[in-house]
Amino acid sequence: MRLLKQLVPAAAVAYLGSLAVFAVEGNALLTLLFGLATAALSVLVYGWTVRWSERREPIEVGTTGAIPATARGVLIGVAMFAAVILNIAMLGGYRIEGLGSLGGATGLFGLMAAAAVTEEVIFRGILFRIVEERTGTWIALTLTGLVFGLMHLGNPNANLWGVLAIAVEAGGMLAAAYAATRTLWLPIGLHFGWNFAAVGIFSTEVSGQNSAQGLLDAATSGPTLLTGGAFGPEGSLYAVVFGLLLTVAFMWLARRRGNVVPMRRGDRTEAAATLPR
């Protein structure tokens, strides 16, 4: 019941926000504003539902340290995607042909902010956190990672390999980032940094979706295993490898901080959200 009490309002914000953002997609400024508004509303609604359904303060979206944690996540996400692109470019699979669209990048900033925040609230703040309380960190990471990957199966140009790649490099990695920090700010920043770098900076496809042009006018070609093909670089073997490396690093940090919840046997202990950071 607690899962539904939190999931339904969060999903409603994500759905209505996406409708609003796509309704003004041709207007870069309105797309930016509507996207940022959706992101902010998603956090506010999540905080309210946690207070209502769990009778506690939602420390995972607390304001203390939110800006630096989000900024660190953005830097990690951008750096990770840049590393993927660099490796693809070294094999001749990515080339810059000129400058792209500043207006397009502006609108994409808002669109990706809305996507990153609403998806992290739903998948890490609600699904992963609640499943983790009942099953432990590793099972929750695996299950919610698979669900996150399968969510992308309906995207244009999606395929089974792309879905599995998303499950590993994003679903697992972002859950591990939450486990390591016990806040949503780092995974939100990481998610946004990765997505915005992909489409807003390097102008590649994101999860098989046809997106507007970002800051660069670029083209990708070459073997699907290395470039991701029509699905985009998220389907690249490089992305999977880098995502796995970050997952291992975050889980090492989570274990070092005592944030790994063991598999439940018998009575449940306190909620994972209250674990020390």
Side-chain angles (χ1 to χ4, degrees), residues 131-147:
V131 172
E132 183 190 39
E133 292 174 16
R134 297 174 178 271
T135 66
T137 300
W138 286 105
I139 293 178
L141 184 150
T142 302
L143 291 177
T144 60
L146 287 173
V147 172

Side-chain angles (χ1 to χ4, degrees), residues 104-180:
T106 300
L108 288 166
F109 189 99
L111 179 62
M112 294 306 155
V117 176
T118 56
E119 289 180 11
E120 289 313 300
V121 162
I122 291 172
F123 284 94
R124 262 57 68 177
I126 299 174
L127 290 178
F128 173 78
R129 181 175 59 82
I130 293 177
V131 172
E132 183 190 39
E133 292 174 16
R134 297 174 178 271
T135 66
T137 300
W138 286 105
I139 293 178
L141 184 150
T142 302
L143 291 177
T144 60
L146 287 173
V147 172
F148 187 69
L150 288 171
M151 183 193 74
H152 295 79
L153 191 57
N155 290 357
N157 303 311
N159 52 52
L160 183 58
W161 164 249
V163 166
L164 291 175
I166 289 287
V168 173
E169 77 203 22
M173 177 185 63
L174 293 167
Y178 174 78

